[in-house]
Amino acid sequence: MAVKALHAISQGRNGVGAFILQCKRIDLHYCDWAGSSRGMNGFIKSLLPKFAAAHPEIEFTVSPRPAKHPVAIGHYINGRSKPICVRNMEPYEILKKLELLRDASGEKLKKVTKPVRSINESVRGIWSPYHGNGMPL
Amino acid sequence: MRHLPRLRGAVSASLCCSSPTHIRTTTAVAAVATTSSSSTKTQSLQRRTLSTSLPRSDAVEAYTPPQGLKPPPQAQKAAVRPDKITDPAYEPAQDGLELEEVGGLDGWWENPDNYGVGRQWVGYGPAEKITDPAVLEVAVYRALVEAMVARRQMNTPDATPARDALLESGWGPAALTATTVQTKLCGGSHGTLILKPAEDVETATAAEQEAEVTEEAKEQLEAAVTPEQEAEVVEAKEEVKTAVASEQVAEITEETKEEADTGVASEQETETEVKEEVDATKDSADHVISTEEARALLKEIGHEWKRPMIKDLIYKYFIAKRIYKLTGHRIPDGKLVAINSGGVLLKEIVKPPKAKKLAEEIENKQLFQSLPNVKVFPRRVTPIDKEKMMGRWKVIREELERRGLPVIGTANIDNAIEKKWVTGTK
């Protein structure tokens, strides 16, 4: 009996059927003394409780890092991480950065040149000059 | 080239005062002298004042220097001319370094002996704020009662000295605090804070009852506000003045400089001693209650007074003044206007100490108590902490120890020597 290959019926695509957030953890570091952490300290006190409650799928860790600028580091399920320095930022600016970390995929940034990008095969196939009836000139 | 004629003598008459005789020379005037060469009396009057209005002579003359304050010595003192010196042992100095420094103001202002006892600054409130919540609550209650009594007596001219003494007084003896606390506060007919009327008087109207209670409280407080200790303080101050005056007389009769110096020193010592006595008497008069005493008093006070409204601005001002005097807490005007009850006032004053670190503040406020996805660390998360979280640190430690390597730090192992070779540094 000949071995038959399994046909690929469907390919896993995030967001089609189920969506898994790529960001799994966000680390927040601040300094108690430095003025560049003033916005970060305010963000942790005022905005983080609501943001963390709205995103139970993301793990948040808050820890001091004395004598350093404040930073927010996003960790992703592909193993990569994305750090953003938030020195001298206001709490709402930091909120925007956290939304950016949340929405990021964790992939390296790539230059997008084409307006549409797809992993679907074209239903028309690839054109070949050796196939088909050809066109009489 | 044409030569312009020089101006002679004083500047043109337009710069001078048109009627110089109107200016009184006895007053201290900031003046700019003209360029006149002669120094006659008439020309000395020709001064041009910087101010357009005439100086007030009464303001200058009315000023009398405060007692106990010594004026600074004159900055310059004319030395005796060498040809006038009759002392045969006198030898003129050949160098400036050999000269003795006479006079001058070096260190004069820093010397505390040049200032009298009465000139030393004393703050209105206590030097340190009271932070104990129980004591603060008793103080607030006492301030409410006393300020209300002061407010009720505001339009009575006879009560002005007693009212001022009441507002200016400190804690006083412990019995005074206990007496004041016995005066009860409650909500009136319009929901405002009033002194609680006596329950046994049924026939009297509410206003009359209030008046009676106010009168009683006033009598009690007047009796307590002027305790015997304050009389002692006044007596002690009188003694200071008498002692200083008698010593000054004794010094004048002796007429020798050395003895006078000794007398000044002894006078200062006496002043210091008596001042200490006065301070000691004051301290004993003002008894700030302890936490245990305050807790016992709070059981008597209850919570009935916290809810009723406080609307009267003058009453609020008296309250703020009393609270500042008793506790050292100054209520800003903006917050004072917003305070509308005893409870709000208490909340404004009794506050937990501010957290020094963000992690402490998060813990105190319990911001992430209900969020399982948030973890807060009180200190820096080190690489060892991360290994411990992963459960790998135990294995790493064992392996390092087995190899004889330092577990933490680099021990006596320096940086890589190859780094020096590459960078070329020594």
Side-chain angles (χ1 to χ4, degrees), chain B residues 298-416:
Chain B
L298 282 177
K299 288 176 186 169
E300 292 182 27
I301 291 172
H303 301 283
E304 198 184 352
W305 57 280
K306 291 180 185 174
R307 194 174 286 271
M309 302 274 281
I310 300 171
K311 291 178 180 173
D312 186 8
L313 285 176
I314 300 172
Y315 179 39
K316 284 187 191 179
Y317 171 71
F318 283 161
I319 293 169
K321 197 172 178 182
R322 277 309 284 157
I323 286 175
Y324 185 37
K325 183 73 184 175
L326 293 174
T327 65
H329 287 263
R330 191 150 180 263
I331 305 168
D333 290 348
K335 289 185 177 174
L336 191 62
V337 171
I339 286 169
N340 56 6
S341 68
V344 177
L345 176 66
L346 190 64
K347 206 172 180 182
E348 176 58 34
I349 292 170
V350 181
K351 282 179 179 170
K354 202 175 177 183
K356 288 181 179 175
K357 297 192 171 185
L358 181 63
E360 290 172 8
E361 194 175 345
I362 289 170
E363 196 178 346
N364 293 341
K365 292 183 181 174
Q366 299 200 335
L367 291 175
F368 304 110
Q369 191 69 18
S370 59
L371 297 172
N373 60 330
V374 182
K375 205 183 280 184
V376 180
F377 298 93
R379 61 169 180 84
R380 187 173 78 92
V381 179
T382 61
I384 294 176
D385 290 331
K386 287 176 186 168
E387 296 291 352
K388 281 180 183 171
M389 286 175 205
M390 207 180 289
R392 210 161 49 184
W393 178 245
K394 189 180 170 184
V395 183
I396 293 170
R397 173 186 280 274
E398 284 172 1
E399 288 300 315
L400 286 169
E401 284 172 354
R402 195 168 63 80
R403 288 171 167 81
L405 291 169
V407 177
I408 297 169
T410 56
N412 54 355
I413 302 164
D414 291 335
N415 289 334

Side-chain angles (χ1 to χ4, degrees), chain B residues 48-60:
Chain B
R48 189 161 60 98
T49 57
L50 294 175
S51 171
T52 54
S53 60
L54 288 173
R56 285 181 56 197
S57 60
D58 55 337
V60 179

Side-chain angles (χ1 to χ4, degrees), chain B residues 57-339:
Chain B
S57 60
D58 55 337
V60 179
E61 285 162 7
Y63 174 73
T64 50
Q67 291 181 351
L69 185 67
K70 295 177 189 173
Q74 287 186 348
Q76 289 184 347
K77 193 177 177 184
V80 184
R81 294 181 63 82
D83 54 342
K84 301 282 183 188
I85 295 171
T86 54
D87 187 6
Y90 171 74
E91 285 183 16
Q94 300 298 319
D95 191 358
L97 295 173
E98 297 175 14
L99 291 173
E100 183 191 355
E101 189 176 340
V102 178
L105 290 172
D106 282 351
W108 196 92
W109 297 105
E110 287 76 23
N111 189 359
D113 298 337
N114 293 324
Y115 300 90
V117 176
R119 296 293 299 166
Q120 294 191 4
W121 183 80
V122 179
Y124 185 75
E128 289 185 7
K129 284 182 185 176
I130 294 173
T131 52
D132 192 320
V135 179
L136 278 176
E137 193 168 342
V138 172
V140 167
Y141 187 81
R142 191 181 151 175
L144 286 173
V145 172
E146 289 174 346
M148 183 166 285
V149 172
R151 177 71 182 96
R152 294 284 169 87
Q153 300 298 324
M154 195 179 169
N155 296 325
T156 314
D158 301 341
T160 308
R163 192 191 69 226
D164 290 346
L166 170 63
L167 291 174
E168 300 291 326
S169 62
W171 278 87
L176 177 59
T177 310
T179 314
T180 314
V181 162
Q182 284 172 2
T183 310
K184 297 295 176 194
L185 295 169
C186 67
S189 54
H190 299 290
T192 52
L193 192 71
I194 56 164
L195 290 173
K196 194 171 188 178
E199 291 172 0
D200 53 343
V201 185
E202 291 177 359
T203 52
T205 61
E208 285 172 354
Q209 286 173 353
E210 276 184 31
E212 273 183 20
V213 174
T214 311
E215 197 62 33
E216 279 177 20
K218 185 196 156 199
E219 285 170 9
Q220 286 176 355
L221 293 168
E222 276 182 14
V225 158
T226 53
E228 292 174 359
Q229 285 90 342
E230 288 203 3
E232 286 175 13
V233 171
V234 175
E235 281 175 17
K237 281 181 180 171
E238 290 296 327
E239 281 174 16
V240 174
K241 286 179 185 171
T242 320
V244 170
S246 63
E247 291 214 357
Q248 280 173 348
V249 172
E251 285 160 21
I252 292 163
T253 51
E254 285 168 5
E255 290 184 356
T256 55
K257 192 187 171 187
E258 290 175 3
E259 285 172 355
D261 289 342
T262 324
V264 168
S266 64
E267 176 197 325
Q268 286 159 359
E269 280 173 13
T270 320
E271 274 189 14
T272 319
E273 283 171 11
V274 181
K275 188 193 163 199
E276 282 171 4
E277 280 178 18
V278 171
D279 289 344
T281 323
K282 257 188 174 175
D283 289 343
S284 64
D286 284 342
H287 172 77
V288 181
I289 55 171
S290 65
T291 312
E292 289 74 23
E293 287 171 332
R295 280 179 187 156
L297 289 173
L298 282 177
K299 288 176 186 169
E300 292 182 27
I301 291 172
H303 301 283
E304 198 184 352
W305 57 280
K306 291 180 185 174
R307 194 174 286 271
M309 302 274 281
I310 300 171
K311 291 178 180 173
D312 186 8
L313 285 176
I314 300 172
Y315 179 39
K316 284 187 191 179
Y317 171 71
F318 283 161
I319 293 169
K321 197 172 178 182
R322 277 309 284 157
I323 286 175
Y324 185 37
K325 183 73 184 175
L326 293 174
T327 65
H329 287 263
R330 191 150 180 263
I331 305 168
D333 290 348
K335 289 185 177 174
L336 191 62
V337 171
I339 286 169

Side-chain angles (χ1 to χ4, degrees), chain B residues 16-27 41-49 54:
Chain B
C16 297
C17 186
S18 59
S19 57
T21 50
H22 291 170
I23 300 174
R24 283 169 283 188
T25 53
T26 52
T27 56
K41 191 181 177 183
T42 325
Q43 284 189 342
S44 68
L45 289 172
Q46 287 182 353
R47 289 169 185 273
R48 189 161 60 98
T49 57
L54 288 173

